Coordinates of all heavy atoms in Angstrom, one line a residue:
M935 N 15.7 10.1 -5.3 CA 15.8 9.9 -6.7 C 15.9 8.3 -6.9 O 16.6 7.6 -6.2 CB 17.0 10.5 -7.3 CG 17.2 10.2 -8.7 SD 18.7 10.8 -9.5 CE 19.9 9.8 -8.6
I936 N 15.2 7.9 -7.9 CA 15.2 6.4 -8.2 C 16.1 6.3 -9.4 O 16.0 7.0 -10.5 CB 13.8 5.9 -8.6 CG1 12.9 6.0 -7.3 CG2 13.9 4.5 -9.1 CD1 11.5 5.7 -7.6
Q937 N 17.1 5.4 -9.3 CA 18.0 5.2 -10.4 C 17.4 4.3 -11.5 O 16.4 3.6 -11.3 CB 19.3 4.4 -9.8 CG 20.0 5.3 -8.8 CD 21.2 4.5 -8.2 OE1 21.0 3.3 -7.8 NE2 22.4 5.0 -8.2
S938 N 18.0 4.4 -12.7 CA 17.5 3.5 -13.8 C 18.6 2.5 -14.1 O 19.8 2.7 -14.1 CB 17.3 4.4 -15.0 OG 16.3 5.3 -14.8
L939 N 18.1 1.3 -14.4 CA 18.9 0.2 -14.9 C 18.6 0.0 -16.3 O 17.5 -0.2 -16.7 CB 18.6 -1.1 -14.1 CG 19.2 -2.4 -14.7 CD1 20.7 -2.3 -14.7 CD2 18.7 -3.6 -13.9
H940 N 19.6 0.2 -17.2 CA 19.5 0.0 -18.6 C 20.3 -1.2 -19.0 O 21.5 -1.3 -18.8 CB 20.1 1.3 -19.4 CG 19.3 2.5 -19.1 ND1 18.3 2.9 -19.9 CD2 19.4 3.4 -18.1 CE1 17.8 4.0 -19.5 NE2 18.4 4.3 -18.3
I941 N 19.6 -2.1 -19.7 CA 20.2 -3.4 -20.1 C 20.2 -3.4 -21.6 O 19.1 -3.2 -22.2 CB 19.5 -4.6 -19.5 CG1 19.4 -4.5 -18.0 CG2 20.1 -5.9 -20.0 CD1 18.4 -5.5 -17.4
E942 N 21.3 -3.7 -22.2 CA 21.4 -3.8 -23.7 C 22.1 -5.1 -24.1 O 23.1 -5.5 -23.4 CB 22.2 -2.6 -24.3 CG 21.5 -1.3 -24.0 CD 22.4 -0.1 -24.5 OE1 23.4 -0.4 -25.3 OE2 22.1 1.0 -24.2
K943 N 21.6 -5.8 -25.1 CA 22.3 -7.0 -25.6 C 23.5 -6.5 -26.4 O 23.4 -5.8 -27.4 CB 21.3 -7.8 -26.4 CG 21.9 -9.2 -26.8 CD 20.8 -10.0 -27.5 CE 21.4 -11.4 -27.7 NZ 20.3 -12.3 -28.2
S944 N 24.7 -7.0 -26.0 CA 25.9 -6.6 -26.8 C 26.4 -7.7 -27.6 O 27.1 -7.5 -28.6 CB 27.0 -6.1 -25.8 OG 27.3 -7.1 -24.8
A945 N 26.1 -9.0 -27.3 CA 26.4 -10.2 -28.1 C 25.6 -11.3 -27.6 O 25.0 -11.2 -26.5 CB 27.9 -10.5 -27.9
P946 N 25.5 -12.4 -28.3 CA 24.7 -13.5 -27.8 C 25.2 -14.0 -26.4 O 26.5 -14.2 -26.2 CB 25.0 -14.6 -28.8 CG 25.3 -13.9 -30.1 CD 26.0 -12.7 -29.6
G947 N 24.4 -14.0 -25.4 CA 24.7 -14.4 -24.1 C 25.5 -13.4 -23.3 O 26.1 -13.7 -22.3
Q948 N 25.5 -12.1 -23.8 CA 26.3 -11.0 -23.1 C 25.4 -9.8 -23.1 O 25.0 -9.3 -24.2 CB 27.6 -10.8 -23.8 CG 28.5 -9.8 -23.0 CD 29.8 -9.6 -23.6 OE1 30.2 -10.2 -24.7 NE2 30.7 -8.9 -23.0
Y949 N 25.2 -9.2 -22.0 CA 24.4 -8.0 -21.8 C 25.2 -7.0 -21.0 O 25.8 -7.3 -20.0 CB 23.1 -8.4 -21.0 CG 22.2 -9.3 -21.8 CD1 22.4 -10.7 -21.8 CD2 21.2 -8.9 -22.6 CE1 21.7 -11.6 -22.5 CE2 20.4 -9.7 -23.4 CZ 20.7 -11.1 -23.3 OH 19.9 -11.9 -24.0
L950 N 25.1 -5.8 -21.5 CA 25.7 -4.6 -20.8 C 24.6 -4.0 -19.9 O 23.5 -3.7 -20.4 CB 26.2 -3.6 -21.8 CG 26.7 -2.3 -21.2 CD1 27.9 -2.5 -20.3 CD2 27.0 -1.3 -22.3
A951 N 25.0 -3.9 -18.6 CA 24.0 -3.3 -17.7 C 24.7 -2.0 -17.2 O 25.8 -1.9 -16.8 CB 23.8 -4.2 -16.5
R952 N 23.9 -0.9 -17.2 CA 24.3 0.4 -16.8 C 23.3 1.0 -15.8 O 22.1 1.0 -16.1 CB 24.5 1.4 -17.9 CG 25.6 1.0 -18.9 CD 25.7 1.9 -20.1 NE 24.5 2.0 -20.8 CZ 23.8 3.1 -21.1 NH1 24.2 4.3 -20.7 NH2 22.7 3.0 -21.8
V953 N 23.8 1.4 -14.6 CA 22.9 2.0 -13.7 C 23.2 3.5 -13.8 O 24.3 4.0 -13.7 CB 23.2 1.6 -12.2 CG1 22.4 2.3 -11.2 CG2 22.9 0.1 -12.1
M954 N 22.1 4.3 -14.0 CA 22.2 5.7 -14.2 C 21.5 6.5 -13.1 O 20.5 6.2 -12.6 CB 21.4 6.1 -15.5 CG 21.9 5.3 -16.8 SD 23.6 5.7 -17.3 CE 23.4 7.3 -17.8
N955 N 22.2 7.6 -12.7 CA 21.7 8.6 -11.8 C 21.4 9.8 -12.7 O 22.3 10.5 -13.1 CB 22.7 9.0 -10.8 CG 23.1 8.0 -9.8 OD1 22.2 7.2 -9.4 ND2 24.3 7.9 -9.4
E956 N 20.1 10.0 -13.0 CA 19.7 11.0 -14.0 C 20.5 10.8 -15.3 O 20.2 9.9 -16.0 CB 19.8 12.4 -13.4 CG 18.8 12.6 -12.3 CD 18.8 14.1 -11.8 OE1 19.4 14.9 -12.4 OE2 18.2 14.3 -10.7
H957 N 21.5 11.6 -15.5 CA 22.3 11.6 -16.8 C 23.7 11.1 -16.6 O 24.4 11.0 -17.6 CB 22.3 13.0 -17.4 CG 20.9 13.5 -17.8 ND1 20.1 12.9 -18.7 CD2 20.2 14.5 -17.2 CE1 19.0 13.5 -18.7 NE2 19.0 14.5 -17.9
S958 N 24.1 10.7 -15.4 CA 25.4 10.2 -15.2 C 25.4 8.7 -14.9 O 24.5 8.2 -14.2 CB 26.2 11.0 -14.1 OG 25.5 10.8 -12.9
E959 N 26.4 8.0 -15.4 CA 26.5 6.5 -15.1 C 27.1 6.3 -13.7 O 28.2 6.8 -13.4 CB 27.4 5.9 -16.2 CG 27.4 4.4 -16.2 CD 28.1 3.9 -17.4 OE1 27.6 4.0 -18.5 OE2 29.2 3.3 -17.2
A960 N 26.4 5.5 -12.9 CA 26.9 5.2 -11.6 C 27.6 3.8 -11.5 O 28.5 3.6 -10.7 CB 25.8 5.2 -10.6
L961 N 27.2 2.9 -12.4 CA 27.8 1.6 -12.4 C 27.6 1.0 -13.8 O 26.6 1.2 -14.4 CB 27.0 0.8 -11.4 CG 27.3 -0.7 -11.2 CD1 28.7 -0.9 -10.7 CD2 26.3 -1.4 -10.3
S962 N 28.6 0.2 -14.2 CA 28.5 -0.5 -15.5 C 29.1 -1.9 -15.4 O 30.2 -2.0 -14.8 CB 29.2 0.3 -16.6 OG 29.1 -0.3 -17.8
F963 N 28.5 -2.9 -15.9 CA 29.0 -4.3 -15.8 C 28.4 -5.1 -16.9 O 27.4 -4.7 -17.5 CB 28.8 -4.9 -14.5 CG 27.4 -5.1 -14.0 CD1 26.8 -6.3 -14.3 CD2 26.7 -4.1 -13.5 CE1 25.5 -6.5 -13.9 CE2 25.4 -4.2 -13.1 CZ 24.8 -5.5 -13.3
T964 N 28.9 -6.3 -17.1 CA 28.3 -7.2 -18.1 C 27.7 -8.4 -17.3 O 28.2 -8.8 -16.2 CB 29.3 -7.7 -19.1 OG1 30.4 -8.4 -18.5 CG2 29.8 -6.6 -20.0
A965 N 26.7 -9.0 -17.9 CA 26.0 -10.2 -17.3 C 25.7 -11.1 -18.5 O 25.7 -10.8 -19.6 CB 24.8 -9.8 -16.6
S966 N 25.5 -12.4 -18.1 CA 25.2 -13.4 -19.1 C 23.8 -13.5 -19.5 O 23.4 -14.2 -20.4 CB 25.7 -14.8 -18.7 OG 25.1 -15.2 -17.5
S967 N 22.9 -12.8 -18.8 CA 21.5 -12.8 -19.1 C 20.8 -11.5 -18.5 O 21.4 -10.8 -17.7 CB 20.8 -14.0 -18.4 OG 20.8 -13.9 -17.0
I968 N 19.6 -11.3 -19.0 CA 18.8 -10.2 -18.5 C 18.5 -10.4 -17.0 O 18.7 -9.5 -16.2 CB 17.5 -10.0 -19.3 CG1 17.9 -9.6 -20.7 CG2 16.7 -8.9 -18.7 CD1 16.7 -9.6 -21.7
A969 N 18.1 -11.6 -16.6 CA 17.8 -11.9 -15.2 C 19.1 -11.7 -14.4 O 19.0 -11.2 -13.3 CB 17.3 -13.3 -15.1
G970 N 20.2 -12.1 -14.9 CA 21.5 -11.9 -14.2 C 21.8 -10.5 -13.9 O 22.3 -10.1 -12.9
A971 N 21.6 -9.6 -14.9 CA 21.8 -8.2 -14.8 C 20.9 -7.6 -13.7 O 21.3 -6.8 -12.9 CB 21.6 -7.5 -16.1
I972 N 19.7 -8.0 -13.7 CA 18.7 -7.5 -12.7 C 19.1 -8.0 -11.3 O 19.2 -7.2 -10.4 CB 17.3 -8.0 -13.0 CG1 16.8 -7.4 -14.3 CG2 16.3 -7.7 -11.9 CD1 15.5 -8.0 -14.9
R973 N 19.4 -9.3 -11.2 CA 19.9 -9.8 -9.9 C 21.2 -9.2 -9.4 O 21.3 -8.7 -8.2 CB 20.1 -11.3 -10.0 CG 20.5 -12.0 -8.6 CD 20.8 -13.5 -8.8 NE 19.6 -14.2 -9.3 CZ 19.6 -14.7 -10.6 NH1 20.6 -14.5 -11.4 NH2 18.6 -15.4 -11.0
D974 N 22.1 -9.0 -10.3 CA 23.4 -8.4 -9.9 C 23.3 -7.0 -9.5 O 24.0 -6.6 -8.5 CB 24.4 -8.6 -11.0 CG 24.8 -10.0 -11.3 OD1 24.5 -10.9 -10.5 OD2 25.5 -10.3 -12.3
T975 N 22.5 -6.2 -10.1 CA 22.2 -4.8 -9.7 C 21.7 -4.8 -8.3 O 22.1 -4.0 -7.5 CB 21.3 -4.1 -10.7 OG1 21.9 -4.2 -12.0 CG2 21.0 -2.7 -10.3
A976 N 20.7 -5.6 -8.0 CA 20.1 -5.6 -6.7 C 21.1 -6.0 -5.6 O 21.1 -5.5 -4.5 CB 18.9 -6.6 -6.7
Q977 N 22.0 -6.9 -6.0 CA 23.0 -7.3 -5.0 C 24.1 -6.3 -4.8 O 24.6 -6.1 -3.7 CB 23.7 -8.7 -5.5 CG 22.8 -9.8 -5.4 CD 23.3 -11.1 -5.9 OE1 24.4 -11.1 -6.6 NE2 22.7 -12.2 -5.7
M978 N 24.5 -5.6 -5.9 CA 25.6 -4.6 -5.8 C 25.1 -3.3 -5.2 O 25.9 -2.6 -4.6 CB 26.1 -4.3 -7.2 CG 26.9 -5.4 -7.8 SD 27.6 -4.8 -9.4 CE 27.2 -6.2 -10.5
L979 N 23.8 -3.0 -5.3 CA 23.2 -1.8 -4.7 C 22.1 -2.1 -3.8 O 20.9 -1.6 -4.1 CB 22.8 -0.8 -5.9 CG 24.0 -0.4 -6.8 CD1 23.5 0.2 -8.1 CD2 25.0 0.5 -6.1
P980 N 22.3 -2.9 -2.8 CA 21.1 -3.3 -1.9 C 20.4 -2.2 -1.1 O 19.3 -2.4 -0.7 CB 21.8 -4.3 -1.0 CG 23.2 -3.9 -0.9 CD 23.5 -3.3 -2.2
K981 N 21.1 -1.1 -1.0 CA 20.5 0.0 -0.2 C 19.5 0.8 -1.0 O 18.7 1.6 -0.5 CB 21.5 0.9 0.4 CG 22.3 0.2 1.5 CD 23.2 1.1 2.2 CE 23.9 0.3 3.3 NZ 24.7 1.1 4.2
S982 N 19.5 0.6 -2.4 CA 18.6 1.3 -3.2 C 17.2 0.7 -3.0 O 17.1 -0.5 -2.7 CB 19.0 1.1 -4.7 OG 20.2 1.7 -4.9
R983 N 16.2 1.4 -3.1 CA 14.8 0.9 -2.8 C 14.1 0.4 -4.1 O 13.3 -0.5 -4.0 CB 14.0 2.0 -2.2 CG 14.6 2.4 -0.8 CD 13.7 3.4 -0.1 NE 12.4 2.8 0.2 CZ 11.4 3.5 0.7 NH1 11.6 4.8 1.0 NH2 10.3 2.9 1.0
A984 N 14.5 1.0 -5.2 CA 13.8 0.6 -6.5 C 14.6 1.1 -7.6 O 15.5 2.0 -7.5 CB 12.4 1.2 -6.5
F985 N 14.3 0.6 -8.8 CA 15.0 1.0 -10.1 C 13.9 1.1 -11.1 O 13.0 0.3 -11.2 CB 16.0 0.0 -10.5 CG 17.3 0.0 -9.7 CD1 17.3 -0.8 -8.6 CD2 18.4 0.8 -10.0 CE1 18.5 -0.9 -7.8 CE2 19.5 0.8 -9.2 CZ 19.6 -0.1 -8.1
H986 N 14.1 2.0 -12.1 CA 13.4 2.0 -13.3 C 14.2 1.0 -14.2 O 15.3 1.3 -14.5 CB 13.4 3.4 -14.0 CG 12.8 4.5 -13.1 ND1 11.5 4.5 -12.7 CD2 13.4 5.6 -12.6 CE1 11.3 5.6 -12.0 NE2 12.4 6.2 -11.9
I987 N 13.5 0.0 -14.7 CA 14.2 -1.1 -15.4 C 13.9 -1.0 -16.9 O 12.7 -1.1 -17.3 CB 13.9 -2.5 -14.9 CG1 14.3 -2.6 -13.4 CG2 14.7 -3.5 -15.7 CD1 14.0 -3.9 -12.8
W988 N 14.9 -0.9 -17.7 CA 14.8 -0.8 -19.2 C 15.6 -2.0 -19.8 O 16.7 -2.3 -19.4 CB 15.5 0.5 -19.7 CG 14.7 1.7 -19.4 CD1 14.8 2.4 -18.2 CD2 13.8 2.4 -20.2 NE1 13.9 3.5 -18.2 CE2 13.3 3.5 -19.5 CE3 13.3 2.2 -21.5 CZ2 12.4 4.4 -20.0 CZ3 12.4 3.1 -22.0 CH2 11.9 4.1 -21.2
Y989 N 15.0 -2.5 -20.9 CA 15.8 -3.4 -21.8 C 15.7 -2.8 -23.2 O 14.5 -2.7 -23.7 CB 15.2 -4.8 -21.8 CG 15.8 -5.7 -22.8 CD1 17.2 -5.9 -22.8 CD2 15.0 -6.4 -23.7 CE1 17.8 -6.7 -23.8 CE2 15.6 -7.3 -24.6 CZ 17.0 -7.4 -24.7 OH 17.5 -8.2 -25.6
E990 N 16.8 -2.4 -23.7 CA 16.8 -1.7 -25.0 C 15.9 -0.5 -24.9 O 16.2 0.4 -24.2 CB 16.4 -2.7 -26.2 CG 17.3 -3.9 -26.3 CD 18.6 -3.7 -26.9 OE1 18.8 -2.7 -27.6 OE2 19.5 -4.6 -26.7
H991 N 14.8 -0.5 -25.7 CA 13.9 0.7 -25.7 C 12.6 0.5 -25.0 O 11.7 1.3 -25.1 CB 13.6 1.0 -27.2 CG 14.8 1.3 -27.9 ND1 15.7 2.4 -27.7 CD2 15.4 0.6 -28.9 CE1 16.7 2.4 -28.5 NE2 16.6 1.3 -29.3
V992 N 12.4 -0.6 -24.2 CA 11.2 -0.8 -23.4 C 11.5 -0.9 -21.9 O 12.6 -1.2 -21.5 CB 10.5 -2.1 -23.9 CG1 10.0 -2.0 -25.3 CG2 11.3 -3.3 -23.7
S993 N 10.5 -0.5 -21.2 CA 10.6 -0.5 -19.7 C 9.4 -1.2 -19.0 O 8.3 -1.2 -19.5 CB 10.6 1.0 -19.3 OG 10.6 1.1 -17.9
I994 N 9.8 -1.8 -17.9 CA 8.7 -2.4 -17.1 C 8.4 -1.5 -15.9 O 7.7 -1.9 -15.0 CB 9.0 -3.9 -16.6 CG1 10.4 -3.9 -15.9 CG2 9.0 -4.8 -17.8 CD1 10.6 -5.2 -15.2
G995 N 8.9 -0.3 -15.9 CA 8.6 0.7 -14.9 C 9.4 0.6 -13.7 O 10.5 0.0 -13.6
T996 N 8.9 1.2 -12.6 CA 9.6 1.2 -11.4 C 9.4 -0.1 -10.6 O 8.3 -0.5 -10.4 CB 9.1 2.4 -10.5 OG1 9.2 3.6 -11.3 CG2 9.9 2.5 -9.2
T997 N 10.5 -0.7 -10.2 CA 10.5 -2.1 -9.6 C 11.3 -2.1 -8.3 O 12.4 -1.6 -8.3 CB 11.2 -3.1 -10.6 OG1 10.5 -3.0 -11.9 CG2 11.0 -4.5 -10.1
P998 N 10.6 -2.5 -7.2 CA 11.3 -2.6 -5.9 C 12.5 -3.6 -6.0 O 12.5 -4.6 -6.7 CB 10.3 -3.1 -5.0 CG 9.0 -2.8 -5.6 CD 9.2 -2.9 -7.1
V999 N 13.6 -3.2 -5.3 CA 14.8 -4.1 -5.2 C 14.4 -5.5 -4.7 O 15.0 -6.5 -5.1 CB 15.9 -3.4 -4.4 CG1 17.0 -4.4 -4.0 CG2 16.4 -2.2 -5.1
L1000 N 13.5 -5.5 -3.8 CA 13.1 -6.8 -3.2 C 12.6 -7.8 -4.3 O 13.0 -8.9 -4.4 CB 11.9 -6.6 -2.2 CG 11.4 -7.9 -1.5 CD1 12.6 -8.5 -0.6 CD2 10.2 -7.6 -0.6
H1001 N 11.9 -7.3 -5.3 CA 11.4 -8.1 -6.4 C 12.6 -8.5 -7.3 O 12.7 -9.6 -7.9 CB 10.4 -7.4 -7.3 CG 9.1 -7.1 -6.5 ND1 8.0 -6.5 -7.1 CD2 8.7 -7.4 -5.3 CE1 7.1 -6.4 -6.2 NE2 7.4 -7.0 -5.1
M1002 N 13.5 -7.5 -7.5 CA 14.7 -7.8 -8.3 C 15.6 -8.9 -7.7 O 16.2 -9.7 -8.4 CB 15.5 -6.5 -8.4 CG 14.8 -5.4 -9.2 SD 15.6 -3.8 -9.2 CE 17.2 -4.2 -10.0
Q1003 N 15.6 -8.9 -6.3 CA 16.4 -9.9 -5.6 C 15.8 -11.3 -5.7 O 16.5 -12.3 -5.8 CB 16.6 -9.5 -4.2 CG 17.5 -8.3 -4.0 CD 17.4 -7.8 -2.6 OE1 16.5 -8.0 -1.8 NE2 18.5 -7.1 -2.2
H1004 N 14.5 -11.4 -5.6 CA 13.8 -12.6 -5.4 C 13.1 -13.2 -6.6 O 12.9 -14.4 -6.7 CB 12.7 -12.5 -4.3 CG 13.3 -12.2 -2.9 ND1 14.0 -13.2 -2.2 CD2 13.3 -11.1 -2.2 CE1 14.4 -12.7 -1.1 NE2 14.0 -11.4 -1.1
D1005 N 12.9 -12.4 -7.7 CA 12.3 -13.0 -8.9 C 12.8 -12.3 -10.2 O 12.0 -11.8 -10.9 CB 10.8 -12.9 -8.8 CG 10.1 -13.9 -9.7 OD1 10.8 -14.7 -10.4 OD2 8.9 -13.9 -9.8
P1006 N 14.1 -12.3 -10.4 CA 14.6 -11.6 -11.6 C 14.2 -12.3 -12.9 O 14.1 -11.6 -13.9 CB 16.1 -11.6 -11.4 CG 16.4 -12.8 -10.5 CD 15.2 -12.8 -9.6
E1007 N 13.9 -13.6 -12.8 CA 13.5 -14.3 -14.0 C 12.2 -13.8 -14.6 O 12.0 -13.7 -15.8 CB 13.5 -15.8 -13.8 CG 14.9 -16.5 -13.6 CD 15.4 -16.3 -12.1 OE1 14.7 -15.8 -11.2 OE2 16.6 -16.5 -12.0
T1008 N 11.2 -13.6 -13.7 CA 9.9 -13.1 -14.1 C 10.0 -11.7 -14.7 O 9.4 -11.4 -15.7 CB 8.9 -13.1 -12.9 OG1 8.7 -14.5 -12.5 CG2 7.6 -12.6 -13.3
L1009 N 10.8 -10.9 -14.0 CA 11.0 -9.5 -14.6 C 11.7 -9.6 -15.9 O 11.3 -8.8 -16.8 CB 11.9 -8.7 -13.6 CG 11.3 -8.5 -12.2 CD1 12.3 -7.9 -11.3 CD2 10.0 -7.7 -12.3
A1010 N 12.7 -10.5 -16.1 CA 13.4 -10.6 -17.4 C 12.4 -11.1 -18.5 O 12.4 -10.6 -19.6 CB 14.5 -11.6 -17.3
S1011 N 11.5 -12.0 -18.1 CA 10.5 -12.5 -19.0 C 9.6 -11.4 -19.5 O 9.2 -11.3 -20.7 CB 9.7 -13.7 -18.4 OG 10.5 -14.8 -18.2
R1012 N 9.2 -10.6 -18.5 CA 8.3 -9.4 -18.9 C 9.0 -8.5 -19.8 O 8.4 -8.0 -20.8 CB 7.8 -8.7 -17.6 CG 6.9 -9.5 -16.8 CD 6.5 -8.8 -15.5 NE 6.0 -7.4 -15.7 CZ 6.1 -6.5 -14.8 NH1 6.5 -6.8 -13.6 NH2 5.7 -5.3 -15.0
L1013 N 10.3 -8.2 -19.6 CA 11.0 -7.3 -20.5 C 11.1 -7.9 -21.9 O 10.9 -7.2 -22.9 CB 12.4 -7.1 -19.9 CG 12.5 -6.1 -18.8 CD1 13.9 -6.2 -18.1 CD2 12.3 -4.6 -19.4
K1014 N 11.5 -9.2 -22.0 CA 11.6 -9.9 -23.3 C 10.3 -9.9 -24.0 O 10.2 -9.7 -25.3 CB 12.1 -11.3 -23.1 CG 13.6 -11.4 -22.7 CD 14.0 -12.8 -22.7 CE 14.6 -13.2 -21.4 NZ 15.0 -14.5 -21.3
L1015 N 9.2 -10.2 -23.3 CA 7.9 -10.2 -24.0 C 7.5 -8.8 -24.5 O 7.1 -8.7 -25.7 CB 6.8 -10.7 -23.0 CG 5.4 -10.7 -23.5 CD1 5.2 -11.7 -24.6 CD2 4.4 -11.0 -22.3
L1016 N 7.7 -7.8 -23.7 CA 7.4 -6.4 -24.1 C 8.3 -6.0 -25.3 O 7.8 -5.4 -26.3 CB 7.6 -5.5 -22.9 CG 7.1 -4.1 -23.1 CD1 5.6 -4.0 -23.4 CD2 7.4 -3.3 -21.8
H1017 N 9.6 -6.4 -25.2 CA 10.5 -6.0 -26.3 C 10.1 -6.7 -27.6 O 10.1 -6.1 -28.7 CB 11.9 -6.5 -25.9 CG 13.0 -6.1 -26.9 ND1 13.3 -7.0 -27.9 CD2 13.7 -5.0 -27.0 CE1 14.3 -6.4 -28.6 NE2 14.6 -5.2 -28.1
G1018 N 9.7 -8.0 -27.5 CA 9.2 -8.7 -28.7 C 8.0 -8.1 -29.3 O 7.8 -8.2 -30.5
Q1019 N 7.1 -7.5 -28.5 CA 5.9 -7.0 -29.0 C 6.1 -5.7 -29.9 O 5.4 -5.4 -30.8 CB 4.9 -6.6 -27.9 CG 4.3 -7.8 -27.2 CD 3.5 -7.4 -26.0 OE1 3.6 -6.3 -25.5 NE2 2.6 -8.3 -25.6
F1020 N 7.2 -5.0 -29.6 CA 7.5 -3.8 -30.3 C 8.6 -3.8 -31.3 O 8.7 -3.1 -32.2 CB 7.7 -2.6 -29.3 CG 6.5 -2.3 -28.5 CD1 6.3 -2.7 -27.2 CD2 5.5 -1.5 -29.1 CE1 5.2 -2.4 -26.5 CE2 4.4 -1.2 -28.4 CZ 4.2 -1.6 -27.1
W1021 N 9.6 -4.8 -31.0 CA 10.8 -4.8 -31.9 C 11.0 -6.1 -32.6 O 11.9 -6.3 -33.3 CB 12.0 -4.4 -31.0 CG 11.8 -3.1 -30.4 CD1 11.5 -2.8 -29.1 CD2 11.9 -1.8 -31.0 NE1 11.4 -1.5 -28.9 CE2 11.6 -0.9 -30.1 CE3 12.2 -1.4 -32.3 CZ2 11.6 0.5 -30.4 CZ3 12.2 -0.1 -32.6 CH2 11.9 0.9 -31.6
G1022 N 10.1 -7.1 -32.3 CA 10.1 -8.4 -32.9 C 11.4 -8.9 -33.1 O 12.0 -9.7 -33.6

């Protein structure tokens, strides 16, 4: 099973990150950026192979942990761009 990472903006410069196993929450923490939430998830759960990554209501799909560890900024940029296209 591939876990899902759900990131939501809770305040300026504060993001809630939740890792879900189907319908149950496996991990919850706050981060100062979307990239930080992605990077921290990969560091906290390094044995996971991939995550479905969501920001608010948009997803960049299934992403290998290796990409989350080495280039979270690019993944965060993709999420922000996609979010802006649909939610402005």
Side-chain angles (χ1 to χ4, degrees):
M935 175 186 68
I936 297 175
Q937 296 174 311
S938 294
L939 168 60
H940 295 265
I941 303 167
E942 297 176 12
K943 187 172 188 172
S944 54
Q948 186 174 3
Y949 296 84
L950 173 63
R952 295 179 298 126
V953 176
M954 305 294 291
N955 291 326
E956 291 187 14
H957 300 293
S958 64
E959 188 173 290
L961 176 67
S962 179
F963 64 94
T964 58
S966 61
S967 66
I968 295 170
I972 293 168
R973 181 183 305 107
D974 291 350
T975 299
Q977 289 175 350
M978 287 186 229
L979 300 167
K981 292 187 179 188
S982 297
R983 296 181 65 184
F985 288 88
H986 302 295
I987 302 179
W988 290 84
Y989 173 54
E990 304 283 339
H991 302 293
V992 297
S993 172
I994 55 171
T996 306
T997 306
V999 168
L1000 183 63
H1001 294 179
M1002 294 169 65
Q1003 292 169 335
H1004 294 290
D1005 200 5
E1007 290 80 12
T1008 298
L1009 298 172
S1011 293
R1012 289 178 51 205
L1013 281 165
K1014 288 186 235 175
L1015 178 65
L1016 191 61
H1017 184 269
Q1019 289 176 342
F1020 293 101
W1021 302 101

